[in-house]
Amino acid sequence: LDQLLINFQNKKEKCLIFSYSTQTLDVISAYCTSKGWRFCRLDGTTPTNKRQGLVDTFNSNPSELIFLISTKAGGAGLNLPSATKGIIFDVCWNPTHDQQAQDRAYRIGQKENVQVFRFVSQGTIEEMTYMRQGYKGQLTSMTIDNKKSARMFEAIEGDKANKGELYGMSNLMKFNEHGRNNPEINVDLKKKKR
């Protein structure tokens, strides 16, 4: 995040940063303040009558380059076409929240391409959450759009050799220091000392 924001600041590119955790937004706010950067912030505690003013300030003021937004608070009706960069800092269990978040910049009035970055910590539950988002998206495509090319994830209940890829406690509670591509180094968290 540090490297991206410094790059965006140097190029005067406007950036939306989304997090479903307001405590994470507090940390990012403190970071931006320590750098001396101006920013707007909108979360669930922002009064409804002040939200449009924040949006207007960000869209019209060239010195406001960062907008911190709670993923859920940044829902329908938020129009931020002045941004050309988006960062989804942490993955939400509900994929529609993240999809709606990245769409804040894809609105009437947008004249440039928008790049969206997603941060996912490798070898953590967050990585599994992101994989589940992809799976849920595929299910939506299969049921609503009638697309048959989706990848299905299967598991057999009670079969220790076939626990599936995404669901089940045994899959969630694995830590892999080098990512999911090297399953032989998975370490069971119950056995790992803290």
mmCIF file of all heavy atoms in Angstrom, residues 134-143 146-153:
data_model
loop_
_atom_site.group_PDB
_atom_site.id
_atom_site.type_symbol
_atom_site.label_atom_id
_atom_site.label_comp_id
_atom_site.label_asym_id
_atom_site.label_seq_id
_atom_site.Cartn_x
_atom_site.Cartn_y
_atom_site.Cartn_z
ATOM 1 N N GLY A 134 -14.547 -16.051 -5.803
ATOM 2 C CA GLY A 134 -14.510 -16.513 -7.185
ATOM 3 C C GLY A 134 -15.488 -17.645 -7.419
ATOM 4 O O GLY A 134 -16.183 -17.695 -8.438
ATOM 5 N N TYR A 135 -15.577 -18.543 -6.461
ATOM 6 C CA TYR A 135 -16.495 -19.671 -6.571
ATOM 7 C C TYR A 135 -17.944 -19.194 -6.600
ATOM 8 O O TYR A 135 -18.742 -19.636 -7.410
ATOM 9 C CB TYR A 135 -16.251 -20.624 -5.401
ATOM 10 C CG TYR A 135 -17.172 -21.817 -5.382
ATOM 11 C CD1 TYR A 135 -17.155 -22.754 -6.402
ATOM 12 C CD2 TYR A 135 -18.059 -22.006 -4.330
ATOM 13 C CE1 TYR A 135 -17.992 -23.855 -6.373
ATOM 14 C CE2 TYR A 135 -18.897 -23.101 -4.302
ATOM 15 C CZ TYR A 135 -18.859 -24.015 -5.325
ATOM 16 O OH TYR A 135 -19.697 -25.092 -5.296
ATOM 17 N N LYS A 136 -18.281 -18.247 -5.703
ATOM 18 C CA LYS A 136 -19.646 -17.717 -5.668
ATOM 19 C C LYS A 136 -19.977 -17.005 -6.974
ATOM 20 O O LYS A 136 -21.094 -17.089 -7.475
ATOM 21 C CB LYS A 136 -19.814 -16.758 -4.483
ATOM 22 C CG LYS A 136 -19.834 -17.451 -3.146
ATOM 23 C CD LYS A 136 -19.909 -16.434 -2.018
ATOM 24 C CE LYS A 136 -19.867 -17.099 -0.671
ATOM 25 N NZ LYS A 136 -19.937 -16.130 0.426
ATOM 26 N N GLY A 137 -18.991 -16.309 -7.534
ATOM 27 C CA GLY A 137 -19.203 -15.649 -8.823
ATOM 28 C C GLY A 137 -19.479 -16.644 -9.936
ATOM 29 O O GLY A 137 -20.310 -16.420 -10.811
ATOM 30 N N GLN A 138 -18.767 -17.772 -9.886
ATOM 31 C CA GLN A 138 -18.995 -18.814 -10.891
ATOM 32 C C GLN A 138 -20.391 -19.415 -10.745
ATOM 33 O O GLN A 138 -21.066 -19.683 -11.734
ATOM 34 C CB GLN A 138 -17.934 -19.898 -10.776
ATOM 35 C CG GLN A 138 -16.578 -19.447 -11.241
ATOM 36 C CD GLN A 138 -15.522 -20.524 -11.063
ATOM 37 O OE1 GLN A 138 -15.728 -21.513 -10.380
ATOM 38 N NE2 GLN A 138 -14.376 -20.316 -11.682
ATOM 39 N N LEU A 139 -20.829 -19.628 -9.519
ATOM 40 C CA LEU A 139 -22.176 -20.155 -9.305
ATOM 41 C C LEU A 139 -23.229 -19.192 -9.835
ATOM 42 O O LEU A 139 -24.220 -19.598 -10.438
ATOM 43 C CB LEU A 139 -22.419 -20.426 -7.819
ATOM 44 C CG LEU A 139 -21.711 -21.637 -7.227
ATOM 45 C CD1 LEU A 139 -22.008 -21.741 -5.740
ATOM 46 C CD2 LEU A 139 -22.114 -22.911 -7.940
ATOM 47 N N THR A 140 -23.006 -17.897 -9.621
ATOM 48 C CA THR A 140 -23.931 -16.891 -10.136
ATOM 49 C C THR A 140 -23.988 -16.953 -11.658
ATOM 50 O O THR A 140 -25.066 -16.918 -12.256
ATOM 51 C CB THR A 140 -23.512 -15.478 -9.686
ATOM 52 O OG1 THR A 140 -23.495 -15.452 -8.263
ATOM 53 C CG2 THR A 140 -24.452 -14.413 -10.208
ATOM 54 N N SER A 141 -22.815 -17.067 -12.289
ATOM 55 C CA SER A 141 -22.768 -17.158 -13.746
ATOM 56 C C SER A 141 -23.512 -18.389 -14.242
ATOM 57 O O SER A 141 -24.225 -18.330 -15.244
ATOM 58 C CB SER A 141 -21.323 -17.216 -14.245
ATOM 59 O OG SER A 141 -20.678 -16.007 -14.000
ATOM 60 N N MET A 142 -23.371 -19.490 -13.523
ATOM 61 C CA MET A 142 -24.034 -20.733 -13.944
ATOM 62 C C MET A 142 -25.547 -20.639 -13.801
ATOM 63 O O MET A 142 -26.287 -21.094 -14.662
ATOM 64 C CB MET A 142 -23.521 -21.914 -13.118
ATOM 65 C CG MET A 142 -22.127 -22.353 -13.499
ATOM 66 S SD MET A 142 -21.500 -23.661 -12.438
ATOM 67 C CE MET A 142 -22.751 -24.907 -12.615
ATOM 68 N N THR A 143 -26.020 -20.043 -12.715
ATOM 69 C CA THR A 143 -27.459 -20.023 -12.461
ATOM 70 C C THR A 143 -28.184 -18.879 -13.164
ATOM 71 O O THR A 143 -29.245 -19.075 -13.717
ATOM 72 C CB THR A 143 -27.747 -19.945 -10.951
ATOM 73 O OG1 THR A 143 -27.062 -18.817 -10.406
ATOM 74 C CG2 THR A 143 -27.292 -21.194 -10.253
ATOM 75 N N ASN A 146 -26.504 -18.646 -17.100
ATOM 76 C CA ASN A 146 -26.578 -19.955 -17.767
ATOM 77 C C ASN A 146 -25.272 -20.316 -18.468
ATOM 78 O O ASN A 146 -25.267 -20.875 -19.553
ATOM 79 C CB ASN A 146 -27.763 -20.009 -18.736
ATOM 80 C CG ASN A 146 -28.167 -21.435 -19.056
ATOM 81 O OD1 ASN A 146 -27.897 -22.343 -18.280
ATOM 82 N ND2 ASN A 146 -28.808 -21.621 -20.185
ATOM 83 N N LYS A 147 -24.146 -19.967 -17.851
ATOM 84 C CA LYS A 147 -22.841 -20.331 -18.398
ATOM 85 C C LYS A 147 -22.414 -21.655 -17.798
ATOM 86 O O LYS A 147 -22.499 -21.860 -16.602
ATOM 87 C CB LYS A 147 -21.811 -19.246 -18.101
ATOM 88 C CG LYS A 147 -22.095 -17.957 -18.822
ATOM 89 C CD LYS A 147 -21.029 -16.924 -18.533
ATOM 90 C CE LYS A 147 -21.357 -15.636 -19.259
ATOM 91 N NZ LYS A 147 -20.441 -14.570 -18.908
ATOM 92 N N LYS A 148 -21.926 -22.571 -18.629
ATOM 93 C CA LYS A 148 -21.601 -23.918 -18.172
ATOM 94 C C LYS A 148 -20.110 -24.122 -17.918
ATOM 95 O O LYS A 148 -19.686 -25.197 -17.588
ATOM 96 C CB LYS A 148 -22.060 -24.951 -19.223
ATOM 97 C CG LYS A 148 -23.525 -24.856 -19.555
ATOM 98 C CD LYS A 148 -24.374 -25.311 -18.406
ATOM 99 C CE LYS A 148 -25.843 -25.296 -18.794
ATOM 100 N NZ LYS A 148 -26.719 -25.332 -17.676
ATOM 101 N N SER A 149 -19.293 -23.086 -18.076
ATOM 102 C CA SER A 149 -17.843 -23.274 -18.007
ATOM 103 C C SER A 149 -17.264 -23.089 -16.604
ATOM 104 O O SER A 149 -16.069 -23.022 -16.443
ATOM 105 C CB SER A 149 -17.157 -22.301 -18.968
ATOM 106 O OG SER A 149 -17.429 -20.979 -18.556
ATOM 107 N N ALA A 150 -18.112 -23.006 -15.598
ATOM 108 C CA ALA A 150 -17.605 -22.761 -14.253
ATOM 109 C C ALA A 150 -16.921 -23.996 -13.684
ATOM 110 O O ALA A 150 -17.298 -25.115 -13.966
ATOM 111 C CB ALA A 150 -18.755 -22.341 -13.340
ATOM 112 N N ARG A 151 -15.901 -23.756 -12.882
ATOM 113 C CA ARG A 151 -15.178 -24.833 -12.215
ATOM 114 C C ARG A 151 -15.931 -25.198 -10.936
ATOM 115 O O ARG A 151 -16.290 -24.339 -10.149
ATOM 116 C CB ARG A 151 -13.776 -24.342 -11.877
ATOM 117 C CG ARG A 151 -12.955 -25.326 -11.129
ATOM 118 C CD ARG A 151 -11.563 -24.741 -10.923
ATOM 119 N NE ARG A 151 -10.805 -25.612 -10.050
ATOM 120 C CZ ARG A 151 -9.869 -25.191 -9.238
ATOM 121 N NH1 ARG A 151 -9.561 -23.924 -9.193
ATOM 122 N NH2 ARG A 151 -9.217 -26.034 -8.481
ATOM 123 N N MET A 152 -16.184 -26.455 -10.735
ATOM 124 C CA MET A 152 -16.899 -26.905 -9.546
ATOM 125 C C MET A 152 -15.896 -27.442 -8.522
ATOM 126 O O MET A 152 -14.926 -28.090 -8.890
ATOM 127 C CB MET A 152 -17.912 -27.997 -9.901
ATOM 128 C CG MET A 152 -19.036 -27.500 -10.787
ATOM 129 S SD MET A 152 -19.990 -26.144 -10.063
ATOM 130 C CE MET A 152 -20.717 -26.947 -8.665
ATOM 131 N N PHE A 153 -16.162 -27.176 -7.264
ATOM 132 C CA PHE A 153 -15.319 -27.672 -6.183
ATOM 133 C C PHE A 153 -16.096 -28.760 -5.453
ATOM 134 O O PHE A 153 -17.220 -28.521 -5.027
ATOM 135 C CB PHE A 153 -14.962 -26.542 -5.216
ATOM 136 C CG PHE A 153 -14.212 -25.436 -5.884
ATOM 137 C CD1 PHE A 153 -14.866 -24.315 -6.354
ATOM 138 C CD2 PHE A 153 -12.852 -25.524 -6.052
ATOM 139 C CE1 PHE A 153 -14.170 -23.300 -6.972
ATOM 140 C CE2 PHE A 153 -12.149 -24.507 -6.667
ATOM 141 C CZ PHE A 153 -12.811 -23.396 -7.133
#
